[in-house]
């Protein structure tokens, strides 16, 4: 379930956001309606018949506008609730303890759907939106993936890449209460998690970048006004950064002073994109690491041993062989195996009491089945596939596993 948190956290956050948005919208419209009613009441008999009709028309239009907005909020809410239902049904099918025994075809179908979800997550993170939408449509799992969430993140990231903060600041404003104190699941390695609380620094970073751009454009007075408006409330928490930024007013983007030159670097925009995506994903319960990597690491964790290292690799071991997989397994600790299990390099089968390992005079061991088949086809001779050395089958000794 650790890997499936976003499956429910994302629609929940969408519902929460929709509720906050509808609450603000309804309160605003009701306030306008009450204002109109109070105005009509206060003016009383001084209103002409024509003026009364005009104000009633305005009031009617505002009530119609409120109804349209309520319908929109209700429609959005229904979409998210339907996603919740589809995802609960999806997991419930897996929750049946006899699921595989009852219907193996349905079991394969469930795992196929999960694999498609993992692939769509990978495609979305790498900006292959059309491909992701096509796969979701063909697999009929649009309600199990959150394409719109990733698209919205890309829209804001694109705005930042154009060196504008407008969309990101708008998102911060809409989610300010959440960003002030957001409960985030931090992962230790990939499967053990613990919860901490953090206060987002994204809005401050965006305001800081706006300030630096004003300084870069030699708009010192506008930069000072910007600082007075947005930095003053944050002096108690971000004093050092603010002091450094204000000192940048005495320099320009060509300064060689390393204390200030980094502030004018365009790399700051790339850093903002990364910071935004990180906090955006955290808000929706989406892992920083794609689901494909997490699931691969989960499987590799059961296979990695102390022997999976440079100079002592096994071509048949997924942890040792491919470069990509090896990179994923680098930070995973070796699995604890109480009992040894030996796999024959030739047949790939487990070596046990019924198919025991036979050790050659040079120390390499292979299964009896592999050695017997080789000896039967070469007049009692066996060849070590690793070194090329040749021995008689009678020279092999049984190896006992502890």
């Amino acid at each position: 379930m650790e890997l499936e948190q976003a499956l429910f956290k994302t629609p929940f956050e969408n519902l929460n956001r929709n509720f906050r948005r509808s609450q603000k919208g309804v309160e605003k419209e009701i306030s306008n309606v009450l204002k109109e009613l109070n105005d009509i009441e206060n003016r009383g008999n001084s209103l002409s018949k024509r003026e009364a009709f005009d104000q009633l028309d305005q009031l009617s239009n505002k009530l119609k506008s409120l109804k349209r907005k309520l319908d929109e909020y209700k429609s959005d809410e229904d979409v998210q609730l339907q996603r919740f239902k589809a995802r609960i049904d999806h997991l419930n099918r897996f929750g049946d303890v006899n699921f595989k025994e009852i219907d193996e075809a349905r079991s394969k179908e469930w795992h196929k759907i999960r694999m498609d979800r993992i692939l769509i997550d990978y495609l979305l993170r790498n900006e292959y939106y059309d491909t992701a939408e096509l796969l979701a449509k063909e697999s009929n799992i649009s309600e199990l993936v959150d394409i719109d969430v990733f698209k919205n993140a890309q829209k804001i990231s694109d705005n930042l890449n154009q060196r504008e903060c407008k969309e990101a600041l708008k998102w911060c404003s809409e989610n300010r209460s959440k960003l002030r104190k957001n409960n985030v699941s931090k992962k230790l390695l990939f499967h053990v998690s613990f919860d901490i609380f953090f206060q987002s620094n994204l809005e401050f970073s965006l305001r800081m970048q706006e300030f630096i751009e004003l300084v870069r454009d030699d708009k010192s007075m506008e930069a000072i006004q910007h600082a007075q408006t947005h930095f003053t409330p944050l002096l108690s928490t971000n004093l050092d950064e603010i002091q450094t930024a204000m000192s940048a007013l005495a320099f320009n983007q060509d300064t060689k002073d390393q204390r200030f030159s980094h502030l004018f670097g365009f790399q700051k925009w790339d850093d903002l994109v990364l910071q935004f995506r990180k906090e955006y994903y955290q808000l929706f319960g989406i892992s920083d690491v794609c689901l494909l990597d997490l699931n691969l690491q989960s499987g590799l964790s059961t296979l990695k041993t102390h022997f999976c290292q440079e100079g002592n690799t096994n071509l048949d071991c997924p942890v040792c062989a491919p470069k990509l997989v090896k990179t994923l397994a680098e930070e995973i600790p070796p699995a604890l195996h109480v009992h040894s299990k030996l796999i024959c390099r030739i047949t790939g089968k487990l070596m046990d009491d019924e198919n025991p390992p036979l050790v050659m005079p040079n120390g390499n061991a292979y299964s009896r089945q592999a050695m017997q088949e080789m000896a039967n086809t070469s007049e009692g001779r066996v060849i070590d596939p690793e070194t090329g050395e040749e021995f008689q089958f009678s020279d092999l000794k049984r190896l006992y596993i502890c």
Side-chain angles (χ1 to χ4, degrees), residues 264-278:
F264 295 99
F266 290 110
Q267 176 64 33
K268 286 287 185 181
W269 287 103
D270 296 333
D271 295 340
L272 278 176
V273 173
L274 292 176
Q275 183 181 0
F276 160 71
R277 281 193 173 273
K278 181 177 181 180

Side-chain angles (χ1 to χ4, degrees), residues 203-217:
E203 187 170 358
F204 172 74
S205 299
L206 292 167
R207 295 298 185 187
M208 177 68 75
Q209 192 60 39
E210 285 186 326
F211 174 83
I212 292 300
E213 294 305 316
L214 290 171
V215 176
R216 191 198 307 276
D217 295 337

Side-chain angles (χ1 to χ4, degrees), residues 135-392:
L135 178 57
K137 184 177 179 180
E138 289 185 351
S139 302
N140 196 26
I141 57 172
S142 296
E143 292 179 339
L144 301 181
V145 293
D146 299 293
I147 297 176
D148 55 330
V149 173
F150 283 91
K151 275 189 168 182
N152 188 50
Q154 186 59 42
K155 175 186 173 183
I156 299 173
S157 297
D158 289 343
N159 189 249
L160 288 172
N161 285 325
Q162 294 168 3
R163 298 177 186 172
E164 295 182 13
C165 298
K166 180 180 177 181
E167 292 295 330
L169 285 169
K170 180 182 176 183
W171 181 80
C172 287
S173 176
E174 292 173 351
N175 298 277
R176 185 170 288 126
S177 60
K178 280 284 185 179
L179 292 173
R180 280 176 182 166
K181 201 170 188 182
N182 192 11
N183 189 340
V184 181
S185 178
K186 292 287 186 180
K187 293 193 178 294
L188 178 61
L189 294 178
F190 64 93
H191 61 288
V192 180
S193 66
F194 56 93
D195 291 334
I196 68 169
F197 290 94
F198 88 105
Q199 185 166 339
S200 171
N201 203 37
L202 177 60
E203 187 170 358
F204 172 74
S205 299
L206 292 167
R207 295 298 185 187
M208 177 68 75
Q209 192 60 39
E210 285 186 326
F211 174 83
I212 292 300
E213 294 305 316
L214 290 171
V215 176
R216 191 198 307 276
D217 295 337
D218 293 327
K219 298 178 179 178
S220 299
M221 292 306 299
E222 292 182 34
I224 292 172
Q225 292 174 357
H226 177 90
Q228 289 174 337
T229 302
H230 301 292
F231 292 168
T232 302
L234 299 171
L235 287 173
S236 60
T237 56
N238 300 88
L239 180 60
D240 292 342
E241 296 96 324
I242 293 172
Q243 287 179 332
T244 302
M246 296 306 294
S247 300
L249 283 167
F251 299 86
N252 57 43
Q253 58 182 324
D254 298 322
T255 181
K256 302 299 181 183
D257 192 322
Q258 294 183 356
R259 293 174 299 173
F260 308 104
S261 59
H262 73 281
L263 293 174
F264 295 99
F266 290 110
Q267 176 64 33
K268 286 287 185 181
W269 287 103
D270 296 333
D271 295 340
L272 278 176
V273 173
L274 292 176
Q275 183 181 0
F276 160 71
R277 281 193 173 273
K278 181 177 181 180
E279 298 197 14
Y280 184 92
Y281 289 157
Q282 286 175 342
L283 187 67
F284 285 102
I286 300 173
S287 170
D288 292 342
V289 184
C290 74
L291 291 177
L292 183 60
D293 287 355
L294 287 175
N295 280 274
L296 285 172
Q297 286 181 320
S298 180
L300 293 171
S301 67
T302 65
L303 300 175
K304 187 174 181 179
T305 70
H306 291 284
F307 297 98
C308 296
Q309 56 190 359
E310 293 292 341
N312 191 13
T313 60
N314 185 337
L315 294 178
D316 295 322
C317 174
V319 181
C320 301
K323 185 176 181 181
L324 175 61
V325 175
K326 197 170 184 179
T327 302
L328 288 172
E330 279 181 350
E331 297 183 2
I332 299 176
L336 176 62
H337 294 287
V338 179
H339 300 287
S340 299
K341 289 184 179 180
L342 299 181
I343 304 297
C344 177
R345 294 188 183 184
I346 297 176
T347 64
K349 294 181 179 179
L350 179 68
M351 293 187 282
D352 52 20
D353 291 337
E354 296 183 359
N355 183 30
L358 300 180
V359 62
M360 292 181 166
N362 63 3
N364 289 337
Y366 302 95
S367 68
R368 182 171 64 186
Q369 178 185 344
M371 294 294 95
Q372 188 69 62
E373 290 176 356
M374 190 181 297
N376 292 340
T377 59
S378 56
E379 300 179 351
R381 298 191 306 274
V382 292
I383 299 175
D384 187 341
E386 184 174 343
T387 65
E389 295 176 87
E390 185 177 305
F391 305 100
Q392 291 294 322

Side-chain angles (χ1 to χ4, degrees), residues 45-71:
N45 296 329
S46 63
L47 278 173
S48 68
K49 188 175 182 180
R50 182 62 186 172
E51 288 175 333
F53 274 120
D54 289 341
Q55 287 210 328
L56 287 174
D57 282 341
Q58 292 178 10
L59 186 59
S60 176
N61 290 334
K62 287 180 180 179
L63 289 173
K64 289 177 181 178
S65 174
L66 176 59
K67 183 179 183 304
R68 283 195 302 270
K69 288 185 178 180
L70 288 174
D71 289 339

